[in-house]
Amino acid sequence: MSRAATPLAASVTEFSGDAQTMSLAAFTAVATVTLLLCVMTGPDRDDLDEFYTGYRSLSPLRNGLAIAGDYISAATVLGTGGVIALCGYDGVVLALSTALSLMLLMFLLAEPLRNAGRFTMGDALARRMPGRAVRITACGVTLAALLPMMLVQLAGTGQLLAFILGFSGDSVKTGCVVVMGALMISYAAIGGMKGTALIQILKIVTLLGSGVAVALVVLSRFDWNPGALFDGAARGSGVGDAFLRSGLEFAGSPYPRLDMITAQLSVVLGGACLPHITMRMYTASSARQVRRSLSWAVSGVAVFVLVITVVGLGATALIGRAVIAAADPQGNTAYLLGSRAAFGTDVSAAETLLFTTVTTAIFLTVLASVAGMILACANSLAHDVFAARARETTPRREMLIARLSALAVGVPTILLATQVQHRSLQPLVTLSFCLGASALAPALVYSLFWRRYTRTGLLCTLIGGTLAVLLLMPGTNLVSGSPAAAFPEADFNWFPFTTTGIVTVPLGFAFGWLGTLASGRRGAEEQRRQYEAVEGWILAGAGAEARKGT
């Protein structure tokens, strides 16, 4: 049974001096060690394959852990944990959707992506339809999809460290954002694919190890009875059985059930197609290796879904939904609060050490996630835009451009993050997933599987899907019209859904179809013949290795 009480609720929102000191020491040690690892494992010569793919030398287990590490971002850990703690059933469905998204990538897109691509998403799209326009557009959509997610995680860094370490000054929070951003740029520029993969592996092992330990402690508080945990969470929510039914998260929407389906659709389609995830497909040495890598990745994400469900519900059961919402209206601190509440009011030295491991895992998650996204953006800028423009670009010059691109992407991201850190960041997370679902998913599906798909269709998909999301997103209630919106003082909310997917996902596919029709029958037939010439290579990998270097 739950032993929640007012002293417990009060104690978990203020961490002890020992926990704060240990957390600060752990953060410093992790930053130092990971930077050193990047220096040691980064490319030591001017070889593009080493920088972009790490020579495809990672074993399926290590590559799978790196994929899971890239996939489980800080926004997932903190945001999804918060939705579970505040909205119950809806949050659990959201967590399951993240796992389903990776399974979609595994069964539908992973092998064709690995066969068609070399270094970037632009490579995969341009194999059938070469041209600078395709590569530049792919780079633009990559930046548009990943920049909001990077802002969310960097901007949340100052708030997170302030919560853990107990400081409140805005200047100190801004300083944390700047320092963290500088570290992430260094990881991407110095370590390349192999260095960032190592950090992802370290992150996912620490996150899952500490998470499983905390989840077991939470279950022990309820006599190892999941039913008692759910009942306790329903009581602690203040809304009773509604906490365990669909609709709480979207209760204010005119169409709550349809809004929930739309949100899940955006997560399932968008999460699988974001460029920092798909770039990991190119690090597998064969189709068999990419299947085995994703098997490990899906297993890791499934374990994480179980962990975050138990810890999120445990937070609600042990300290109550009101306390979680008071600490952060979006519930981003729920995972930390649940971890701390599991130990009760009297915390032993071992429990303090475990809690320090949890905070360190979240710190690593922020570092690794943004480093991977910066690397994906920098690779696309260097390889798809600058190197493609000058055909005689040497490997040395392209690597220098990639490192400078990491700086060019990272510095504006840091500056923007310092400006948005006091706003609700949920619209930015939603924007990334909607762009992935509405522009990247249709483009990949059509490019890899539709024989008649043309260059005009591809450009229409990428540009049309992106513009549709950018036009509709400001009208959602995440941006204005509600107290939890990014601009609560304004009200220009005219779109009746929380996410744009119900409109923009069909539009993304429709734009590609219409663009292909507009190319004319001759263009479509020519593209069909070109696709048939490489169909075996894209779908089955026949002759892929011989073509990789072309």
Side-chain angles (χ1 to χ4, degrees), residues 309-528:
T309 298
V310 171
V311 176
L313 293 176
T316 307
L318 293 169
I319 61 175
R321 185 167 174 249
V323 174
I324 296 169
D328 186 290
Q330 275 73 49
N332 288 332
T333 57
Y335 188 78
L336 284 170
L337 292 175
S339 301
R340 174 63 184 84
F343 305 133
T345 53
D346 297 322
V347 183
S348 66
E351 290 170 336
T352 300
L353 180 61
L354 177 57
F355 180 74
T356 302
T357 307
V358 171
T359 60
T360 304
I362 294 176
F363 179 70
L364 258 176
T365 300
V366 176
L367 285 175
S369 298
V370 180
M373 294 176 192
I374 289 178
L375 182 64
C377 293
N379 288 356
S380 186
L381 270 173
H383 188 68
D384 294 328
V385 177
F386 296 108
R389 180 179 181 181
R391 294 185 179 276
E392 302 302 321
T393 301
T394 63
R396 179 185 182 88
R397 181 175 175 82
E398 185 170 338
M399 282 185 61
L400 176 62
I401 292 173
R403 287 174 166 140
L404 292 176
S405 296
L407 191 65
V409 171
V411 171
T413 302
I414 294 171
L415 295 177
L416 287 172
T418 61
Q419 300 302 311
V420 303
Q421 60 181 323
H422 302 299
R423 299 279 182 181
S424 170
L425 302 175
Q426 187 59 38
L428 295 175
V429 180
T430 305
L431 178 61
S432 284
F433 281 109
C434 287
L435 286 172
S438 305
L440 295 174
L444 289 175
V445 171
Y446 279 156
S447 295
L448 297 174
F449 302 109
W450 188 17
R451 296 182 177 184
R452 295 177 179 270
Y453 196 42
T454 63
R455 181 184 288 105
T456 302
L458 174 59
L459 294 176
C460 288
T461 303
L462 292 174
I463 297 172
T466 300
L467 290 178
V469 173
L470 294 178
L471 289 172
L472 291 181
M473 183 57 69
T476 65
N477 60 8
L478 294 177
V479 178
S480 71
S482 71
F487 300 96
E489 68 280 359
D491 188 1
F492 41 87
N493 169 218
W494 57 269
F495 190 69
F497 299 100
T498 302
T499 63
T500 67
I502 191 170
V503 173
T504 56
V505 171
L507 274 179
F509 283 96
F511 284 141
W513 178 69
L514 291 173
T516 298
L517 287 183
S519 301
R521 179 169 297 186
R522 179 178 298 179
E525 284 299 317
E526 180 183 350
Q527 188 56 53
R528 181 183 63 81

Side-chain angles (χ1 to χ4, degrees), residues 3-78:
R3 295 179 292 182
T6 302
L8 176 58
S11 67
V12 298
T13 56
E14 295 183 1
F15 303 130
S16 68
D18 288 343
Q20 291 175 347
T21 302
M22 290 178 68
S23 295
L24 182 60
F27 294 167
T28 305
V30 163
T32 304
V33 170
T34 49
L35 190 57
L36 180 61
L37 287 174
C38 273
V39 172
M40 294 173 62
T41 59
D44 54 5
R45 55 184 178 274
D46 302 323
D47 191 315
L48 295 179
D49 275 312
E50 184 178 13
F51 184 81
Y52 286 129
T53 68
Y55 286 136
R56 300 181 173 87
S57 60
L58 293 178
S59 67
L61 172 59
R62 288 187 292 168
N63 197 33
L65 291 174
I67 294 170
D70 260 321
Y71 192 73
I72 301 175
S73 65
T76 305
V77 176
L78 303 177

